[in-house]
Amino acid sequence: FQQFWQIPPRLGNYPADVGGDVIDALGYIEEHIGQWLEGDYRADNKRLELNLARLMSGDGGALLKSVALQAQSLGRATTMVDRRADADPVCPNGVSTRAANITETVVSKYFAGDVQQWLARLSLRQHQIMPVTARIEDHLSAVLPRGYQRWRSQRQALLEQLKSAPKRHVSAVKAALSQCPGLRWGSQPG
């Protein structure tokens, strides 16, 4: 399980290149935890070893690295948008400017296109991994070391950023373009 959460050196094409093997392995472990905690250690050794091997090479660490990357990158982008809006409005007196058009084009092309599609796949992977992981950890809560419990809380806080960082970014973009008539991300007709 520790290796499951190991941060990989590279993400490659994550999360597009993952399958259901890890989810099946987590399900197998969850299914047997109750009996093991009650002292019944019977298991199909081959199947148990296969599922443990799947977990060892699983993508929990890639999920965490991806979430940290998106939070850091969107945080920087949000700060840039906020600073620009604070320094000089992109649509002074409700008049669209070249900067407003460029901002909307960049947001539409890269954020709404590529980034949000990646975030949707990442969110899906989180929703596949985390419920069964949480159930396993809940089963084991009485025996989990304090260090693991602290790490679990930190992990949960990081995973919350998968939702909060994009929301903050969208709010910043809308605020920066709020006085820009006719732009998709700007003011909307009332």
Side-chain angles (χ1 to χ4, degrees):
F1 207 56
Q2 184 176 4
Q3 287 179 330
F4 175 72
W5 294 108
Q6 194 80 23
I7 304 296
R10 282 177 249 105
L11 289 172
N13 198 23
Y14 186 80
D17 290 342
V18 296
D21 289 356
V22 169
I23 307 306
D24 293 342
L26 285 167
Y28 177 85
I29 300 298
E30 178 196 9
E31 188 179 301
H32 288 81
I33 282 178
Q35 82 180 43
W36 294 336
L37 287 175
E38 291 176 9
D40 180 356
Y41 302 113
R42 287 179 291 155
D44 177 342
N45 287 342
K46 267 189 170 175
R47 197 163 171 213
L48 176 61
E49 290 295 326
L50 175 66
N51 283 297
L52 289 174
R54 286 178 180 156
L55 281 183
M56 286 173 51
S57 62
D59 60 300
L63 174 65
L64 296 180
K65 184 174 185 166
S66 296
V67 171
L69 174 67
Q70 72 89 31
Q72 181 183 44
S73 298
L74 284 178
R76 281 195 307 260
T78 300
T79 299
M80 284 179 10
V81 169
D82 286 341
R83 284 185 181 155
R84 173 64 171 98
D86 289 345
D88 190 24
V90 290
C91 292
N93 302 318
V95 177
S96 257
T97 63
R98 186 169 187 265
N101 291 328
I102 290 170
T103 301
E104 182 173 60
T105 299
V106 168
V107 169
S108 295
K109 183 175 181 181
Y110 296 105
F111 180 73
D114 300 337
V115 174
Q116 282 190 323
Q117 289 176 22
W118 181 70
L119 291 175
R121 289 190 304 271
L122 198 57
S123 182
L124 174 62
R125 192 60 178 172
Q126 177 186 3
H127 289 294
Q128 291 171 331
I129 289 174
M130 294 314 299
V132 67
T133 299
R135 289 191 301 269
I136 289 171
E137 292 170 337
D138 289 345
H139 283 304
L140 300 173
S141 63
V143 296
L144 289 175
R146 281 195 180 120
Y148 186 90
Q149 292 175 8
R150 280 191 301 275
W151 175 82
R152 182 183 183 193
S153 294
Q154 292 168 347
R155 181 194 68 203
Q156 288 311 112
L158 174 63
L159 290 172
E160 286 300 315
Q161 293 184 40
L162 186 55
K163 291 182 232 171
S164 63
K167 284 181 183 177
R168 280 193 308 274
H169 186 67
V170 168
S171 292
V173 168
K174 285 184 174 185
L177 298 177
S178 65
Q179 300 303 312
C180 301
L183 296 181
R184 175 177 173 229
W185 289 86
S187 62
Q188 301 298 317

